[in-house]
Amino acid sequence: MTDSHNYPKTPLPSETPSYHSDKLGTEENNLAGLQRKLNARHLTFISLGSVIGTGIFLGIGNALVTAGPVGLVLAYAVICSVVYCVMLCVGEMVTYLPVVGAHLRLSARFVDPSLSAAMSWNYWYCWALIAAVEASAVAVLMTYWTDAVNSGAWIAICLAVTLGVNLCGPRVYAEVECYMSSIKVLTIVGLIVLSIAMDAGAGSDGEVIGFRHWTDPGPFVQYQDVPSRLGQFLGFFSGLTTAAFSSIGAEMLALVAAETRNPRVIVPRALKATWIRVVLFYFLGAFCVSLIVPSNELRLGSASTASASPYVIAIENAGIKVLPHIINACILTSALSAGISDLFTATRTLHAMAGSGLAPKLFSQTTSWGCPWIAVLATWSIGLLAFLTVGSSAAGVFIFLVKLTALSGVITWECIAVTYLRFRAGMKAQQVPKSVLPWKSGFSTIGAWWIIIVISSVLLFSGWPVFKQGNWSTADFFGNYLPLMIFVAVYGGFKVGTRSRFVRASEMDLTSGLEEIERRTKQCEEEDEAKKAAKPRSRVATVLRRLVA
C-alpha cells in the first residue's frame, strides 16, 4: 500500500478544472445510498464466476464449427490476452479511484463527459438485454427434460428469482453469487478434467483420441467454402468474434468496487484471480474441446440445451450415462446466475448514471439496505422482452436484440483501453509517478493498445459475410453494426447538446476524492489491525508461546 503523502495534492476549488461537472464530489457522496457490504470472498467469487455463462458451455461449440480445432485454440488465446489486458487497465484505474460507476464514470474525468454518457447508456442496455437472454436460455434448457410446461412459465420463474435477489441488496446478491459461482467453477473444472481423461482413453471403449481431430477433419475450417488460406483465416476470425462475445463481462468486478469495505486492498486480491479465469476457464476449456469433438460433428450448435454442448457430445460418445443431465442442470445454474449478475450490473450502471446527471435523478434512490430499487425495477422490466420467445412470430425480434448485446459488450472494452491511455497521459503530463498507484502492472499500456487493435478489428469486420455477393441480410447488417451506430449517435448527441470538450492531459482531474479514499483505507487498516490484536490466541499458539518462553 502506498503512503498517503505520496499521492498528488487535491487541488483547491479555484484550481479544479472547469470541465469537472459530473457530480463526482467526495468518495462518500459517490455512494449515493449504496453501502460497503462486500468483502474479499465476495469479490473473489464474483471475479471468478461472473463471466461463466451459457457461452462457455454451448457457444464454444459454434466457434469450433466455424474455426476448427486449431483456429478455436488460437482465437481463444487472442481473446484471453485481451480479457487479461482489460482487467489490468480497469484494475489500475479503479483501485486508484474506486468510485461508483467505475470506468463508466472515470471516462468523464479522463477523456470526455460525452464518452461517459455513450459508454453508460451502451453498457446499461447491453446488460439489461443480456439478462433477458439468460431468462429465455433457462426456458430452453428446461426443454432438455420436458416440453409439457409452457416456456413462458420458466421465464416468469427465472425473472422472479432474478428480481428477488437484486431487491434484497448487495450482500444477498454476493452470497447467492458465491454459491452459484462455486457450482460453475466446479463444473468447468470437472469438465476439463473429464475431457483430458476421455482424450486419454477413459471412455467405455478405452479408445485414445489424442490429437486425432486436429488432423481429421483438419486444424482449420474453410469458412463458407471460401478457398485457400483466406477461408481458413476467415474461419479463425469468426471464432475470434464468437470468443469475444462469450467473454464479455470480465470488467463487472470494477462496478462493485465502490461497495466493498476496503477496495484498495480487496480489489487487487480479486484481480489476482484473473489469470485463473482466463487460463483455466477459457483457454484450457477451448483446448480440451478441440481435442474431444471433431469440428464437423453435426450435433454442435444444433440446439440450445446440453445436447449441443461439445462436452456432452463427447460424454455421450464415450458411453457415459447420467452425466449429460447433471451438466444440463449446471448450465441451467449458470444461466440463472448470469441473469442475476447481469441485472445487478445494469442496475449499478443506471444508478451511477443518475448520480452523474446522465439519467433521471429518481434512479439514484436506494433502500435502507443499499438497494437502488427504482433502478432495479426499471432495468428488470427490460427482461420482460424474454417473453417474445414464447410466440414464434416475435422470436425473430428477440434474436435481433440478442445480436445487439454482443457488440455492445466489446465496445466497452475498447473504451476502457482509450480511457486508460488518457489516464496514463494525464499522469505523465502532471508528473504523477506510477508508484502512487495502489495496484499496477508493467504491461498495461501495451495491453491497452492490444485491446484497441483486436477489438477494432472485431467491431469493423464482424459482419463481413453480409457483404458477400448474394449474401446480403438487412437484419444481420444492423445486428452487427447498429450498436456501433447507436454508440456514435449517443456520443454525438451529448457532444452537441452539452458542448463538452475533450479533457486535456494537463487539466485532467486526478485528485478529487483521493483524500477521502485514503482516509477510509487507513481507517480500515487500523480496524483490521485492532481486530487481529483482539482475537484470542488458540490453545496451540498459547502452548507454543510458553514452550518458546
Side-chain angles (χ1 to χ4, degrees), residues 356-499:
S356 56
L358 299 177
K361 193 68 176 178
L362 65 97
F363 292 123
S364 64
Q365 295 184 26
T366 60
T367 62
S368 59
W369 55 88
C371 172
W373 65 279
I374 298 180
V376 169
L377 292 175
T379 305
W380 177 82
S381 65
I382 304 298
L384 298 176
L385 290 171
F387 287 106
L388 290 173
T389 58
V390 177
S392 57
S393 60
V397 178
F398 183 75
I399 292 173
F400 176 78
L401 293 174
V402 171
K403 290 182 178 180
L404 296 183
T405 64
L407 281 167
S408 297
V410 296
I411 286 174
T412 299
W413 289 356
E414 180 124 356
C415 292
I416 287 174
V418 172
T419 302
Y420 177 79
L421 290 174
R422 292 304 304 158
F423 171 59
R424 295 289 293 122
M427 292 182 66
K428 183 178 180 181
Q430 298 179 33
Q431 297 181 342
V432 178
K434 195 173 182 179
S435 60
V436 306
L437 298 178
W439 189 83
K440 49 190 171 291
S441 169
F443 301 99
S444 301
T445 301
I446 297 175
W449 285 111
W450 177 240
I451 295 168
I452 291 173
I453 292 171
V454 175
I455 300 305
S456 293
S457 301
V458 171
L459 289 172
L460 293 175
F461 302 111
S462 62
W464 70 267
V466 301
F467 298 106
K468 288 180 60 181
Q469 187 174 0
N471 205 37
W472 175 260
S473 169
T474 302
D476 288 343
F477 172 80
F478 282 102
N480 281 284
Y481 294 110
L482 185 59
L484 195 56
M485 298 177 189
I486 293 175
F487 183 86
V488 173
V490 173
Y491 176 80
F494 272 89
K495 192 74 173 174
V496 173
T498 63
R499 297 183 179 181

Side-chain angles (χ1 to χ4, degrees), residues 244-289:
F245 298 158
S246 64
S247 305
I248 58 176
E251 71 291 338
M252 279 184 183
L253 174 65
L255 287 177
V256 299
E259 294 180 70
T260 60
R261 178 173 167 271
N262 191 358
R264 284 195 162 173
V265 174
I266 294 176
V267 173
R269 292 177 186 173
L271 286 171
K272 289 178 181 178
T274 299
W275 72 270
I276 300 176
R277 177 178 53 198
V278 170
V279 176
L280 181 62
F281 300 157
Y282 289 127
F283 179 75
L284 192 55
F287 177 75
C288 289
V289 165

Side-chain angles (χ1 to χ4, degrees), residues 327-346:
I327 294 173
N328 193 69
C330 293
I331 297 175
L332 183 67
T333 301
S334 295
L336 181 60
S337 171
I340 294 171
S341 293
D342 298 340
L343 179 58
F344 184 90
T345 301

Side-chain angles (χ1 to χ4, degrees), residues 55 58-73 75-76 213-214 217-223 235-236 238-240 242-243 285-301 308-311 313-314:
L58 301 176
I60 198 170
N62 294 324
L64 178 62
V65 171
T66 58
V70 175
L72 172 71
V73 172
Y76 270 83
H213 300 317
W214 284 34
F220 296 95
V221 171
Q222 299 295 142
Y223 189 70
F236 156 76
S238 176
L240 188 72
T242 302
F287 177 75
C288 289
V289 165
S290 74
L291 296 178
I292 59 178
V293 181
S295 59
N296 58 359
E297 169 61 57
L298 297 179
R299 287 172 290 177
L300 287 172
S309 170
Y311 297 107
I313 292 172

Side-chain angles (χ1 to χ4, degrees), residues 4-21:
S4 60
H5 64 273
N6 288 330
Y7 287 96
K9 180 183 177 182
T10 304
L12 297 173
S14 59
E15 298 172 336
T16 304
S18 59
Y19 66 85
H20 188 242
S21 58

Side-chain angles (χ1 to χ4, degrees), residues 128-179:
L129 286 175
I130 293 179
V133 172
E134 297 296 351
S136 67
V138 167
V140 175
L141 287 165
M142 290 302 299
T143 62
Y144 186 77
W145 292 304
T146 179
D147 292 323
V149 180
N150 186 279
S151 60
W154 299 122
I155 292 174
I157 293 173
C158 178
L159 290 176
V161 172
T162 300
L163 177 64
V165 171
N166 275 272
L167 284 177
C168 287
R171 185 81 182 194
V172 172
Y173 157 74
E175 290 294 339
V176 170
E177 187 61 24
C178 280
Y179 289 111

Side-chain angles (χ1 to χ4, degrees), residues 503-522:
V503 180
R504 296 177 180 177
S506 59
E507 299 177 349
M508 195 174 292
D509 183 5
L510 300 173
T511 57
S512 291
L514 271 181
E515 290 184 353
E516 181 63 27
I517 294 168
E518 187 65 14
R519 183 196 64 78
R520 172 160 285 277
T521 300
K522 185 176 180 180

